[in-house]
Amino acid sequence: MEIKIAEYSGYCFGVKKALKLTEEIIKKYNGDNRKIFTLGSIINNPGVTKKLAKKGIITVEKAEEIEKNSIFIIRSHGMPPDLVNKIRELKEVEIIDATCPFVKKTQTSASNLAKEGCFVVIIGNKNHPEVLGIKGYISNKKYMIVENEEDIEN
């Protein structure tokens, strides 16, 4: 039997960048006595999340679980700016942004379109962290999230 691996298999550039940055943070703050948190996993890979947990990364599901004076890494999917600001103000944490550059570009586009008064359409899962992050950049609140053909018809 012959097994062929697709030319473009493996992690995308943004995920690789986020993982590299996370490993650098782990090394930099090793022995610092400050905890390192993420809100949701750095990437969508339970195996990687477990490995990072063994190295000290604490994944939480609510911002309230982040401890004061800790380090907080923004996951590769990005986050809404108001949530990042809330964490910064209430938790007095050092924030490291591991958002994928392609996601950042989309966030910036959504923000610019909103500032121009445009209605923004986001195509994706309305509960996915990346979609929620992009939505958070639409200041005029004129947007629609399209998950399927029914959403377009409605």
Side-chain angles (χ1 to χ4, degrees), residues 27-149:
K27 286 178 187 169
K28 180 177 179 181
Y29 294 100
N30 187 17
D32 188 336
N33 291 330
R34 289 197 291 170
K35 294 179 181 175
I36 305 171
F37 290 89
T38 66
L39 186 59
S41 56
I42 294 286
I43 64 169
N44 287 334
N45 185 314
V48 170
T49 301
K50 285 180 185 177
K51 286 179 184 177
L52 291 174
K54 288 178 182 176
K55 294 179 179 184
I57 300 292
I58 303 165
T59 302
V60 296
E61 296 304 318
K62 296 179 182 173
E64 295 76 26
E65 298 175 76
I66 300 165
E67 296 178 14
K68 282 190 175 196
N69 300 315
S70 60
I71 297 153
F72 176 71
I73 302 174
I74 299 173
R75 63 194 294 172
S76 62
H77 301 95
M79 291 174 56
D82 59 335
L83 182 54
V84 173
N85 290 332
K86 176 184 169 186
I87 292 169
R88 179 179 287 118
E89 292 168 7
L90 298 178
K91 300 295 182 173
E92 301 167 18
V93 298
E94 181 176 345
I95 297 180
I96 312 292
D97 192 352
T99 304
C100 168
F102 293 128
V103 173
K104 275 197 176 299
K105 185 175 180 181
T106 304
Q107 292 169 339
T108 300
S109 294
S111 176
N112 291 340
L113 289 167
K115 287 175 187 169
E116 294 171 16
C118 295
F119 185 87
V120 180
V121 177
I122 304 169
I123 300 173
N125 179 327
K126 67 182 176 186
N127 296 314
H128 191 279
E130 188 172 326
V131 171
L132 295 172
I134 294 166
K135 180 179 89 171
Y137 280 82
I138 303 171
S139 59
N140 67 3
K141 305 298 179 202
K142 296 179 183 177
Y143 66 88
M144 176 184 189
I145 299 172
V146 174
E147 290 186 293
N148 54 49
E149 288 182 41

